[in-house]
Each structure stands twice: as C-alpha cells, then as structure tokens.
C-alpha cells in the first residue's frame, strides 16, 4: 500500500486521536492547569509507545515534564531527534472564539482548537509518520529520538538543564522541528534563521506622590513627559535603533540571501491595505521581509502611567512605565544589547527623573547555512509532495530553544513547518488546515527516507 493510501485509510482515526490531544487544556502558563499539562505529557508518551517507539520516559522537572522516546535499530544510518511541545497558550479572550477552544471542531477543512497548529497538530504528524513507517515496513530508515516538552510557551525554563544532563542520551545527527509555517498555501518554506530576543521593563520616577496639575503644573517634572522624551531617543528618523553599539554582530545581507527574500514575491502594498495602514515602516534600505527576518529591532510593547479611568483627572503622575523587547540577529549578544540600552537610557534621562530597569528574557539568534545537504533533502521532500520546492527563509519570531539544541547537541536543525501564517496561533480561533495535515505526513515520511 502506498503511503498516500495508508494515510487516507487512517485519516478519520488520526483526526479523532488528534482531537483527543487537542481537548486537553495543557496551558503551561497557568498553575490551575498543571494537572492538564501532566495529562498531555502522559498522552504523548502513550501515543509514542503505540506508534512503536521504545524507551518511552516521562521525566519530571521543576516545572512540567519532558517526554523522551527512541528507536535505534538502523546501524550505520543517521539519527534524527524530533523536538516539539505539547503545551499551549492561554485562550483569552474567550468570547472571540466561534467554538470552545478545547472542543476541537472541523469547519471548511480546517481543524479549530487551541494548539491545532502551535504545536500539537504539527507534533502529531511526526508521531503518525513513524507509526506509518513501522506499520508499512516494520523498520525505520534512520534512528529516531523524540524530546517533547511542556514549557515552550513559557520560554522552556527547564529544558536546557535537561539537555545538558542528558547530552549523551540526546546525541543526534539532525534535529527536526515542525513549529513554523509555509509562506502561503502551497508554498513550502524552510526557516534557516530565527531572531533572538531580549526584553526589559523601564520605570521613570519623579516626585514622591502624584501632584495637582493646577497647583504644580509647569513647575515640577512629569514622569510621563520624561518617559516619552526618553523613548523618543531610541530610534532615528530613518527607523534605525539609535543606541551606540546596538548593531554590533549584525551581518550584512549577502546577495544570495537577498535573492532568496525576493523569491518570496511578497506584496507589500497588499499587506499595507490588509492591515489598514497608511504606510509600512522600518529601517531604510530593506524590504519588509528583510526587515522582519534578517534585521534587529527595538519595539515598545506597552507604555503606561498616570490616570487611566473614564473622564479627566488633572494629575501630574509620579511614575511611568514601558515594556520593551528587541529581536536580535546574527551574533548579537542579548546581555550586551541590554547593557547598551541601559547605558543609553542613563545618559539620556531627563532632569528630575530617576530610572529603574528590570531586565527580562534573553535568547540568541539561530542561523543555518541553507546549502548543507540535510536542508537540501528537506527541500526535495517538500517538492515531491507539494510540487514546488521549498524556499529558504529567515523568520522574524524567536524560538529560543532552537539555538540551544543547535549549540548543545552540535547538530543541524531542520525546521519543516506545516502551518500557515493566518492560522491564528496564540489568538482566538486557532486552526490547522487539513490539506497540510495530509501533505505534512507524506513530506515527513519522504524526508526520513531520503536521509
């Protein structure tokens, strides 16, 4: 039986199983769902065992469990380690969901549920691809390992320590991850880069109390004014970050990489119209896809202070706050970037204001050379199934643990995504297009056989 016939005959069964997985509210960020996250870990372990994997283990951590399994019966062949996560984002705002987030529903050949595309649906493909290979051929073409965590949505706090402690168990030739997306329907992509990340929270303090704007206005510093003045120094008029040394470690885009970006044929005018914008914005000299994939950023995620209620309150606020994140590329060091941001702010703080900084998360960027053979084989597998060769892209988002896998295991990372950009991951009505469910299974089988 061909694999296409096999998966077609099992389609309803597989979708029913995926619905069971998606029905588990494994929200890692909320302590009230700790038991649900544990249930999802046990579900993954049972499904791996059912698929034919061996040495299935559920490892407790200081947070949520990590599931390991392997099948090492292909001497002389490469080893592939599949990474994924079984935890999901919170569902708020609940009222915007057309159907309950943990009651999986198929509409218009799309499966709706929290986690459908990020990452339960994509992880499920790998488990079923292995089950198919063992069912059809009673052997795997390569050696397989699985390392599945339940904390990706809260920045994987316990996985790096697990990897360091189990480096021998996890040794591999290739890391395989499906947690990204195609460029568009029918246009596969392989991400060869993810931006790094650093974050901070800033507070500006002035007087020891809020003050009446009539009695004190014009005579004392205003924390909101001071904060806005300070934040305005972070960029120049050309959209560049104006912090000394910020761009250290940022590589110039090669002609070959710029050509790969051009192949995406991204329609900036269509995007502008869709978003209801007067114009796009960004660093001069770069296209939209280059800006979001291969250039660093500094973004304000929240600015607040003073009176927030209905109506007017004539007050001079004593404090104001901002939340800031940076996306990093190349060899930018997140700790060094944070140091330079703080130094810049300290040297530009307005008179009469005091600065308090709380540093947040840090992650390095991830980069792969698209010319390496394993990535070319992945592109071949996409071409076999989708009829068009995958493009090599740089993604603007951050998956911090990807860089950790690459560095700790010293293995190339192949990011074979099967989602679509408009599938509402992290938002209400998250879904997974079943066309890519079907083609994803075949593509994974093709890739493993090509290795």
């Amino acid at each position: 039986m061909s694999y296409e016939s096999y998966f077609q005959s099992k389609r309803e069964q597989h979708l029913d199983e995926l619905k069971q997985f998606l029905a588990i509210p494994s929200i890692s960020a909320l302590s009230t769902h700790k038991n649900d996250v544990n249930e999802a870990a046990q579900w993954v372990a049972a499904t791996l065992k059912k698929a034919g994997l061996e040495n299935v283990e559920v490892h407790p951590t200081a947070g949520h469990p990590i599931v390991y399994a392997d099948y090492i019966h292909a001497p002389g062949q490469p080893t592939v380690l599949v990474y994924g996560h079984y935890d999901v984002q919170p569902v708020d705002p609940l009222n915007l969901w057309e159907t309950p987030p943990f009651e999986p529903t198929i509409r218009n050949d799309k499966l709706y549920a929290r986690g459908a595309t990020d990452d339960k649906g994509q992880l499920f493909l790998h488990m079923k691809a292995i089950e198919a290979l063992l069912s059809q051929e009673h052997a795997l073409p390569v050696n397989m390992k699985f390392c599945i965590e339940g904390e990706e949505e809260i920045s994987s706090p316990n996985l790096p320590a697990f990897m360091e402690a189990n480096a021998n168990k996890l040794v591999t030739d290739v890391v395989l991850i499906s947690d990204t997306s195609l460029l568009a329907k029918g246009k596969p992509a392989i991400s060869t880069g993810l931006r790094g990340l650093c974050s901070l929270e800033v507070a500006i303090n002035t007087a020891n109390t809020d003050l009446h704007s009539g009695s004190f206005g014009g005579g004392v510093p205003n924390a909101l004014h001071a904060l806005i003045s300070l934040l305005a120094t972070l960029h120049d008029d050309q959209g560049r970050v104006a912090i000394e040394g910020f761009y250290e470690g940022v590589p110039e885009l090669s002609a070959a990489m710029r050509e790969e970006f051009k192949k995406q044929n991204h329609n900036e005018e269509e995007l502008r119209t869709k978003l209801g914008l007067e114009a796009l914005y960004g660093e001069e000299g770069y296209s939209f896809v280059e800006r979001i994939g291969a250039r660093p950023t500094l973004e304000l995620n929240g600015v607040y202070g003073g009176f927030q209620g209905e109506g007017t309150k004539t007050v001079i606020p004593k404090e104001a706050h901002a939340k800031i994140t940076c996306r990093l590329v190349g060899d930018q060091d997140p700790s060094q970037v944070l140091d330079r941001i703080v130094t810049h702010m300290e040297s530009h703080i307005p008179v009469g204001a005091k600065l308090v900084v709380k540093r947040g998360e840090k992650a390095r960027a991830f980069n792969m050379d698209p010319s390496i053979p394993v990535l070319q084989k992945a592109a071949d597998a996409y071409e076999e199934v989708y009829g068009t060769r995958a493009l090599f892209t740089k993604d603007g988002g951050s998956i911090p643990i990807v860089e950790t896998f690459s560095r700790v295991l010293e293995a190339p990372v192949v990011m074979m995504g099967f989602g679509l950009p408009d599938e509402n991951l992290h938002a209400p009505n998250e879904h997974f297009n079943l066309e890519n469910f079907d083609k994803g299974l075949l593509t994974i089988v093709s890739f493993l056989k090509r290795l």
Side-chain angles (χ1 to χ4, degrees):
M1 182 187 297
S2 70
Y3 281 99
E4 190 168 1
S5 298
Y6 171 87
F7 286 124
Q8 193 59 40
S9 71
K10 297 282 188 179
R11 192 174 195 260
E12 292 307 312
Q13 177 189 325
H14 286 168
L15 288 174
D16 285 343
E17 291 179 38
L18 178 53
K19 287 178 181 179
Q20 295 170 21
F21 191 19
L22 293 169
I24 304 171
S26 50
I27 304 171
S28 54
L30 303 179
S31 59
T32 53
H33 286 277
K34 183 175 178 61
N35 289 339
D36 298 314
V37 180
N38 287 333
E39 181 185 350
Q42 295 296 333
W43 191 97
V44 170
T47 303
L48 288 169
K49 191 173 293 185
K50 177 187 172 188
L53 275 294
E54 300 172 344
N55 302 310
V56 180
E57 303 160 353
V58 179
H59 291 266
T61 72
H64 301 306
I66 294 168
V67 182
Y68 173 85
D70 62 34
Y71 193 91
I72 313 296
H73 296 289
Q77 298 302 321
T79 298
V80 178
L81 184 145
V82 172
Y83 163 78
H85 64 94
Y86 61 82
D87 63 320
V88 300
Q89 283 276 322
V91 298
D92 310 85
L94 188 59
N95 64 298
L96 295 183
W97 286 81
E98 293 183 27
T99 50
F102 296 109
E103 294 181 17
T105 305
I106 295 176
R107 301 192 300 273
N108 301 318
D109 209 34
K110 301 173 183 177
L111 176 56
Y112 286 81
R114 174 56 89 225
T117 189
D118 181 23
D119 178 46
K120 287 180 177 178
Q122 298 201 56
L123 168 61
F124 185 80
L125 298 178
H126 290 277
M127 295 190 279
K128 291 304 162 184
I130 296 303
E131 184 176 87
L133 283 162
L134 287 173
S135 172
Q136 292 279 86
E137 304 183 30
H138 309 291
L140 297 182
V142 293
N143 301 296
M144 294 296 305
K145 297 178 180 180
F146 279 74
C147 180
I148 313 300
E149 69 160 324
E151 297 182 323
E152 193 275 342
E153 301 293 5
I154 53 173
S155 300
S156 306
N158 292 292
L159 185 55
F162 174 84
M163 291 171 62
E164 296 283 359
N166 294 275
N168 291 335
K169 180 195 290 281
L170 299 176
V171 67
T172 188
D173 298 298
V174 179
V175 178
L176 178 57
I177 301 175
S178 295
D179 197 11
T180 51
S181 65
L182 284 70
L183 281 175
K185 178 180 171 64
K187 296 182 178 179
I190 297 171
S191 175
T192 62
L194 295 165
R195 291 194 288 190
L197 180 73
C198 65
S199 67
L200 66 157
E201 295 183 29
V202 176
I204 292 290
N205 299 300
T206 50
N208 57 10
T209 183
D210 287 351
L211 297 168
H212 189 287
S213 67
S215 302
F216 293 90
V220 297
N222 181 313
L224 275 172
H225 292 183
L227 178 63
I228 292 168
S229 175
L230 178 60
L231 297 179
T233 70
L234 298 177
H235 293 86
D236 66 18
D237 293 338
Q238 287 73 47
R240 282 179 63 87
V241 178
I243 294 167
E244 185 177 352
F246 180 83
Y247 289 91
E248 184 176 319
V250 176
E252 284 302 318
L253 276 176
S254 67
M257 197 66 238
R258 299 198 92 154
E259 190 59 34
E260 281 295 313
F261 279 119
K262 285 181 182 177
K263 288 178 184 176
Q264 295 183 29
N265 293 319
H266 188 271
N267 189 325
E268 295 193 3
E269 180 60 21
E270 182 179 302
L271 174 67
R272 184 196 66 76
T273 302
K274 181 179 179 180
L275 297 179
L277 292 169
E278 290 297 317
L280 299 180
Y281 168 83
E283 189 181 0
E284 282 190 359
Y286 298 92
S287 67
F288 174 80
V289 289
E290 289 172 343
R291 289 170 184 163
I292 67 166
R295 299 298 293 171
T297 66
L298 186 154
E299 297 285 356
L300 305 179
N301 307 124
V303 178
Y304 55 99
F307 179 61
Q308 305 290 313
E310 183 179 357
T312 301
K313 183 180 181 184
T314 53
V315 65
I316 298 174
K318 71 183 182 74
E319 62 183 66
H321 304 265
K323 294 177 182 287
I324 300 171
T325 55
C326 297
R327 299 289 178 167
L328 310 177
V329 301
D331 293 322
Q332 282 182 296
D333 182 332
S335 295
Q336 191 176 71
V337 170
L338 287 173
D339 288 342
R340 287 170 173 168
I341 294 171
V342 173
T343 298
H344 174 95
M345 288 187 163
E346 288 173 342
S347 66
H348 288 79
I349 187 77
V351 174
K354 297 181 288 292
L355 176 70
V356 178
V357 175
K358 178 182 177 183
R359 299 177 187 231
E361 55 194 322
K362 294 176 290 187
R364 285 185 172 271
F366 160 76
N367 288 287
M368 287 289 300
D369 179 356
S371 69
I372 65 172
V374 68
L375 288 178
Q376 293 298 318
K377 289 180 185 292
D380 292 341
Y382 274 117
E383 186 170 19
E384 177 185 337
V385 177
Y386 282 83
T388 183
R389 190 170 175 79
L391 290 178
F392 296 105
T393 64
K394 301 282 188 185
D395 284 1
S398 304
I399 309 177
I401 203 64
V402 173
E403 187 274 337
T404 307
F405 268 108
S406 177
R407 174 170 42 82
V408 173
L409 301 184
E410 298 181 336
V413 178
V414 181
M415 302 194 69
M416 298 184 73
F418 298 101
L420 284 175
D422 62 355
E423 288 181 334
N424 287 23
L425 64 164
H426 293 206
N429 302 309
E430 179 181 351
H431 57 277
F432 191 24
N433 281 262
L434 296 184
E435 175 188 3
N436 293 320
F437 176 87
D438 298 329
K439 290 183 175 179
L441 290 163
L442 294 169
T443 305
I444 292 168
V445 168
S446 174
F447 175 61
L448 295 178
K449 291 171 75 70
R450 287 171 184 277
L451 286 180

